[in-house]
Amino acid sequence: MSANVEFFFPGDNRGVLLIHGLTGTPQEMRILGKGLNNRGFTTRGVQLAGHCGSVEDLLATGWKDWYRSVETAAREMRDSVDHLFVAGLSMGAVLALRLAEEQPSWVDGVGVLGATFRYDGWSLPALNRLAFLLPVLKRLGIGRRRMFMEHPPYGLRDENLRRKISEAMASGDSTAAGLPGNPWHSLAELYLMSRRVRRDLARVVAPCLIAHATEDDIASRWNAEMVARHVSGRSEFLWLEDSYHMITIDRERRRLVAGTADFFTRAAETAAAMAPAA
């Protein structure tokens, strides 16, 4: 049974919904959430359906369930703020873009953080080769019990943090650092969602901050650059040169907080200026 580890930090009328990645936990968004809150924003870290529990909990859900978690949280949050922003890490970035596609009137800006449409980073050659087969295997019912296990560097350039995360995953507490691997069928769901979101990226009219590690071990620069090429809204890059995939907690987390706060502040000012007079 999944434990609820969402967080909420009340602030001003600018709200930021933060979305974790596949097999992850809201904890990976907490530093960003607290940092934005220290700059005045109201922040909430949503917990995706099926996460922070067992592998079976996760396998009982699919990408439409994960997206429903995001849309429900956004609907609740927008009732209490004047400006709503959404930011996600890894698969969370893909879900954030999906919300901007499906509900463009809700979203004033998107934080596309370490976007992962495909696992093509330098540490994952085997997964990259097999990924296209996963939806087929899932449809045939093959590999339900199989997982791609996490391996060093676990998306982290910071060695001390890497050791702590490794110990947390080994402890079996999925609320602290997520599951120790990615089930094949869950990865298949990610790839099915990625296709849908890529197809509809032109529907994203909100401004996008695209933050990505230049040496991302999980998702190559292609993922970030592809988003910038296809969204309709303006986009800005924030390239991080001293981090790996988990940019919300790695060495440049403070730079990410500052860049995201600045971007959303400017987006809120632009949205307020364009709003019709009461």
Side-chain angles (χ1 to χ4, degrees), residues 26-124:
Q27 290 294 99
E28 64 199 37
M29 308 303 291
R30 193 178 184 89
I31 292 174
L32 178 57
K34 192 61 178 175
L36 292 172
N37 179 248
N38 288 339
R39 289 159 173 79
F41 292 87
T42 294
T43 60
R44 175 179 175 182
V46 65
Q47 180 175 319
L48 301 177
H51 287 71
C52 300
S54 67
V55 172
E56 286 302 317
D57 291 331
L58 180 60
L59 288 172
T61 63
W63 78 262
K64 293 180 180 178
D65 301 300
W66 308 333
Y67 174 71
R68 192 174 302 113
S69 299
V70 172
E71 190 171 80
T72 298
R75 181 180 293 108
E76 293 170 353
M77 197 169 188
R78 68 190 291 264
D79 290 337
S80 59
V81 297
D82 294 334
H83 303 286
L84 179 65
F85 302 96
V86 58
L89 174 67
S90 194
M91 182 186 79
V94 182
L95 286 163
L97 289 165
R98 187 60 180 173
L99 182 68
E101 292 172 349
E102 290 291 292
Q103 303 292 349
S105 65
W106 293 9
V107 179
D108 287 318
V110 185
V112 184
L113 316 178
T116 306
F117 285 84
R118 64 188 191 194
Y119 285 81
D120 59 353
W122 54 264
S123 70
L124 299 173

Side-chain angles (χ1 to χ4, degrees), residues 70-199:
V70 172
E71 190 171 80
T72 298
R75 181 180 293 108
E76 293 170 353
M77 197 169 188
R78 68 190 291 264
D79 290 337
S80 59
V81 297
D82 294 334
H83 303 286
L84 179 65
F85 302 96
V86 58
L89 174 67
S90 194
M91 182 186 79
V94 182
L95 286 163
L97 289 165
R98 187 60 180 173
L99 182 68
E101 292 172 349
E102 290 291 292
Q103 303 292 349
S105 65
W106 293 9
V107 179
D108 287 318
V110 185
V112 184
L113 316 178
T116 306
F117 285 84
R118 64 188 191 194
Y119 285 81
D120 59 353
W122 54 264
S123 70
L124 299 173
L127 180 51
N128 188 30
R129 288 196 300 269
L130 294 172
F132 73 98
L133 289 173
L134 292 173
V136 176
L137 295 177
K138 183 176 188 294
R139 189 165 61 246
L140 295 174
I142 298 171
R144 178 179 171 82
R145 299 290 179 182
R146 301 293 297 275
M147 296 177 69
F148 284 105
M149 300 304 294
E150 295 273 3
H151 295 287
Y154 303 114
L156 293 163
R157 193 162 192 150
D158 186 304
E159 293 180 2
N160 289 330
L161 187 55
R162 186 189 307 166
R163 183 176 62 255
K164 292 177 183 177
I165 294 296
S166 175
E167 291 171 354
M169 286 193 296
S171 74
D173 181 6
S174 64
T175 65
L179 294 172
N182 291 295
W184 283 17
H185 284 196
S186 297
L187 285 169
E189 288 291 316
L190 167 60
Y191 277 93
L192 291 171
M193 176 175 67
S194 295
R195 292 173 190 170
R196 183 74 60 86
V197 175
R198 283 184 63 188
R199 185 193 69 189

